[in-house]
Amino acid sequence: MGWVRRLVPVLLLLVGHAALAQDRVLNVYNWTDYIDPKVLERFTSETGIKVRYDVYDSLETLEGKLLAGNSGYDIVVPTAEPTFSRLIAAKALLPLDRSKIPHWSNLDPKLMQRVEVSDPGNRNGAIYLWGTIGLGMIPERIQALDPGAPLDSWDLLLKPEHAKKLADCGISVMDSAIDTIPSVLKYLGRNPESTDAKDLADVERTLMTIRPYIRTFASGGAVEALAGGQTCLSMTYSGDVIQAAARAKEAGQKTVRYVAPKEFAALTFDMLAVPADAPHPAEAMQFINFLLQPDVMAAITNQVRYPNAIPASRDAITPEVRDDPNVYPDTASPRFFTVRATPQAADRLRTRMWARFKAGH
Amino acid sequence: MRRGWFLNVCLLLGYAFLYVPVLLLVATSFNPNRLTTVLSGFSLRWYAALWADDKLIEAALLSLRIAAVSATGATVLGTIAGFALARFGRFPGRGAFAALLSARLVLPDVLVGLSLLLLFVQMEQTIGWPQGRGALTITLAHVSVSLSYVAIVIEARLTDAGSELEDAAMDLGASPLAAFGLVTLPLLAPALLSGWLLAFTLSLDDLVVATFVSGPGASTLPMVVFSALRLGVTPELNALATVILALVSVSLGGAWFLQQRAGRAVVPGQAGA
């Protein structure tokens, strides 16, 4: 039976697929480009725990995996609103065991308090990295088209007389209703969590006045476009702009800058959390404890350029990240705000409005 | 036959449409700049970066392994299905079987991925297998996706070839199994190869189904590439694409060469007979 013998390697390959590692492992599911790889190596060499590290590029992917159940992941990094609070409501997260996380005390209590709107008592998550939502720009090109434009103000984007002049060099807005609408509500002097239909209509009217001048709605690629000079003004996450700035510098392009506008800016938090059905919860607590050390967090911030929530890490952060108040803002300032995700019925209204805005009519 | 200038231009434009993007991709892989869109000289920097990028290499190897195993599985099962449809005459329910097989071709990937995910989760809860999700579940899903394609290729080839040779073999005393092994399979060889290649390509290409049914530590190449898009692509991906392109061209060229040689060997034999 020669063909049986020939089939054996194929069968072995199939079985090899299913073979499970016997040593201690930890399955991490994080945003793409969101860690310093050396940190993972250090964790493995200190603890002997092997890390299997996968990445996602959208919260939808993460939610889909977790809500189907038995995802197999031990650590996930959902953004506080909307995903983290939704996962808490769905009881998809395991409350953290703080007795296993002695480095918890390193966390900035003021920042952790900000997250309590999503997670009362901070039971389900620790802040991994955070940032603000503001404006990424190429000041030189903006000033050339619109001399005297207010670079530090939301007016630059939301007033049509400025947006109109910048249409030629390219404006992009993040394709995310949940990140954009609260800032516009606040700009109009309303409650950023408002679910009132009239407030929403005003937001739509404001957005429609600048709609003709928007070149793209970027969910990915905003960094690339800004760094390469295909856009000159981009409403997006702070850390993405800082990475664009580094790339532009490396490529010899015009200077890219991030501004958290002087009026206000929304804070976003990415949380370290453990799925309720995580196969290795003990290793997960150990990993969170490891990450909350000042030198580890400094290394991560230096690599991905998002601020962390460990004040003791400040000294080890490179000056260009640490000393730029736009990158590392003083969160005590009242101009930074956080919002809760809206209830589902209101969400539907927002989604429809957003679709109309994107379509332009 | 002389072609007019118009047809020549059409020909040129058609092929340019197909290959200019590919050539551009290859060209920019030698661009030292971090930004794919800014050209500035020639370097092998991104090939070095690719060589050092374990994550990407690992994902590429995993994808190739899954593609090879699932293509083999789909070819075996698809050949059986295609053979049944082409050779078992008008058995009751044949129309329904054929329709059910080709209906899978038009099911959107999102549906297939989601339903397989639910199936795997249910199976794990009730019978404890497959334990967790990973390369095994992706392979099974890819077999399920590409099986129908292979069956259709095989059925078409068998219908074309007719059953006379097999009938003759059996008249001369071959058992049905021997007729299948000695006559049908060699006759099918080109269809088997193209079915296998089709299944291999489908598996290598697939992003949607794999995203649903993958698990920790099993990210295929399309998954890694796609998730890297958030912060824009680096020319490292162009370098990887160039390497894959080179491998594909070499293996296709090799296959063509072997076929040519086999063809030459057969022709004189036939002439002599």
Side-chain angles (χ1 to χ4, degrees):
Chain A
M1 294 298 262
W3 64 274
V4 173
R5 229 171 298 135
R6 237 170 290 160
L7 216 73
V8 167
V10 176
L11 289 175
L12 278 180
L13 212 58
L14 273 167
V15 173
H17 268 30
L20 287 169
Q22 293 304 312
D23 37 36
R24 295 176 75 196
V25 293
L26 176 78
N27 299 324
V28 179
Y29 203 31
N30 193 359
W31 284 97
T32 154
D33 297 300
Y34 212 40
I35 202 162
D36 178 0
K38 290 196 200 72
V39 163
L40 297 177
E41 285 164 25
R42 193 179 137 193
F43 178 70
T44 303
S45 72
E46 279 181 18
T47 61
I49 299 172
K50 195 174 157 260
V51 178
R52 288 196 288 196
Y53 188 84
D54 293 318
V55 295
Y56 51 88
D57 68 321
S58 78
L59 289 170
E60 288 79 7
T61 313
L62 172 68
E63 278 186 53
K65 279 256 156 100
L66 287 186
L67 296 176
N70 286 352
S71 69
Y73 288 107
D74 302 304
I75 293 277
V76 291
V77 192
T79 301
E81 295 296 344
T83 306
F84 180 57
S85 65
R86 248 187 243 161
L87 291 173
I88 294 173
K91 302 216 177 344
L93 296 180
L94 192 72
L96 301 183
D97 181 356
R98 286 201 209 164
S99 68
K100 304 252 179 63
I101 312 177
H103 288 134
W104 188 277
S105 56
N106 291 339
L107 284 163
D108 183 343
K110 273 183 286 183
L111 284 172
M112 287 303 286
Q113 201 190 344
R114 296 256 193 186
V115 188
E116 291 211 35
V117 294
S118 317
D119 180 20
N122 292 131
R123 294 177 64 239
N124 296 287
I127 297 173
Y128 177 57
L129 297 172
W130 56 279
T132 56
I133 296 172
L135 301 173
M137 61 184 76
I138 303 176
E140 194 186 324
R141 296 184 61 193
I142 291 180
Q143 271 151 355
L145 289 170
D146 185 6
L151 295 184
D152 56 350
S153 165
W154 284 108
D155 290 346
L156 185 64
L157 174 72
L158 294 174
K159 278 231 158 73
E161 59 260 39
H162 294 301
K164 188 177 188 174
K165 291 183 190 145
L166 302 181
D168 284 340
C169 72
I171 297 176
S172 78
V173 172
M174 62 207 307
D175 185 4
S176 161
I178 181 127
D179 287 320
T180 311
I181 293 174
S183 291
V184 182
L185 279 166
K186 188 117 174 135
Y187 179 78
L188 297 173
R190 313 290 160 80
N191 174 1
E193 293 180 16
S194 168
T195 55
D196 190 47
K198 204 173 75 52
D199 287 346
L200 196 63
D202 289 342
V203 169
E204 183 170 0
R205 209 165 304 125
T206 308
L207 286 174
M208 281 303 182
T209 58
I210 61 161
R211 177 66 188 85
Y213 316 121
I214 294 174
R215 184 172 295 169
T216 53
F217 292 91
S219 48
V223 170
E224 182 90 346
L226 199 58
Q230 283 96 37
T231 58
C232 67
L233 180 64
S234 174
M235 176 183 179
T236 187
Y237 299 114
S238 56
D240 286 10
V241 180
I242 310 307
Q243 295 193 23
R247 283 191 199 179
K249 199 169 162 188
E250 192 188 330
Q253 299 287 101
K254 291 196 166 61
T255 308
V256 171
R257 231 184 99 201
Y258 175 76
V259 171
K262 62 176 186 223
E263 297 94 349
F264 60 84
L267 292 170
T268 65
F269 297 95
D270 287 322
M271 308 299 296
L272 290 165
V274 182
D277 50 10
H280 315 101
E283 283 81 358
M285 302 300 159
Q286 212 174 334
F287 186 65
I288 292 178
N289 190 47
F290 170 81
L291 287 180
L292 296 181
Q293 299 174 93
D295 54 330
V296 173
M297 265 303 171
I300 294 172
T301 292
N302 286 337
Q303 171 85 19
V304 305
R305 289 158 191 269
Y306 275 86
N308 62 57
I310 308 289
S313 71
R314 253 191 108 85
D315 289 340
I317 294 172
T318 56
E320 54 168 347
V321 176
R322 182 186 62 201
D323 299 335
D324 185 343
N326 280 304
V327 180
Y328 232 108
D330 170 23
T331 51
S333 157
R335 80 184 218 265
F336 296 103
F337 70 101
T338 45
V339 288
R340 256 201 78 86
T342 44
Q344 254 188 355
D347 227 22
R348 203 166 304 135
L349 278 180
R350 285 186 169 199
T351 310
R352 280 191 203 143
M353 184 278 259
W354 191 252
R356 283 196 300 276
F357 169 48
K358 275 172 70 184
H361 50 74
Chain B
M1 191 182 80
R2 260 189 62 84
R3 275 174 285 134
W5 63 269
F6 178 72
L7 286 179
N8 278 329
V9 168
C10 288
L11 184 76
L12 204 68
L13 284 179
Y15 275 95
F17 183 52
L18 288 180
Y19 283 101
V20 165
V22 178
L23 290 178
L24 214 57
L25 182 123
V26 172
T28 46
S29 75
F30 297 106
N31 177 16
N33 205 310
R34 178 84 159 81
L35 298 166
T36 324
T37 43
V38 181
L39 284 174
S40 57
F42 176 89
S43 101
L44 293 176
R45 173 183 170 192
W46 298 109
Y47 288 86
L50 173 66
W51 185 249
D53 192 338
D54 292 340
K55 187 106 197 142
L56 214 53
I57 303 263
E58 218 175 88
L61 290 178
L62 179 76
S63 273
L64 289 174
R65 202 164 60 125
I66 289 176
V69 176
S70 72
T72 308
T75 306
V76 172
L77 294 176
T79 304
I80 295 171
F83 189 77
L85 288 177
R87 286 289 184 269
F88 285 17
R90 302 210 52 83
F91 56 90
R94 186 187 177 283
F97 281 114
L100 280 177
L101 201 59
S102 41
R104 275 299 300 269
L105 301 182
V106 294
L107 273 191
D109 279 355
V110 198
L111 279 185
V112 174
L114 185 64
S115 52
L116 282 167
L117 170 64
L118 294 177
L119 174 79
F120 289 140
V121 170
Q122 281 301 322
M123 278 172 69
E124 191 182 0
Q125 278 164 4
T126 45
I127 61 169
W129 187 89
Q131 211 173 51
R133 286 182 295 284
L136 176 69
T137 48
I138 302 179
T139 309
L140 291 175
H142 284 176
V143 171
S144 145
V145 168
S146 40
L147 193 160
S148 305
Y149 290 88
V150 178
I152 284 169
V153 171
I154 298 290
E155 190 203 347
R157 169 73 186 168
L158 281 175
T159 312
D160 270 2
S163 60
E164 292 81 2
L165 288 173
E166 288 152 50
D167 294 342
M170 284 193 275
D171 281 348
L172 295 171
S175 68
L177 202 63
F180 181 78
L182 293 171
V183 177
T184 317
L185 273 188
L187 207 64
L188 270 181
L192 285 174
L193 185 69
S194 54
W196 192 88
L197 282 175
L198 188 63
F200 186 84
T201 317
L202 284 170
S203 165
L204 209 57
D205 247 6
D206 169 68
L207 169 70
V208 181
V209 176
T211 307
F212 276 105
V213 299
S214 76
S219 297
T220 62
L221 187 62
M223 286 163 71
V224 172
V225 170
F226 197 73
S227 65
L229 289 180
R230 188 177 74 94
L231 292 181
V233 288
T234 72
E236 203 183 318
L237 294 179
N238 299 33
L240 176 71
T242 307
V243 170
I244 291 179
L245 207 65
L247 284 178
V248 169
S249 315
V250 166
S251 40
L252 279 185
W256 179 81
F257 178 74
L258 286 179
Q259 261 182 349
Q260 291 293 305
R261 258 192 20 186
R264 267 206 307 276
V266 168
V267 173
Q270 278 174 342

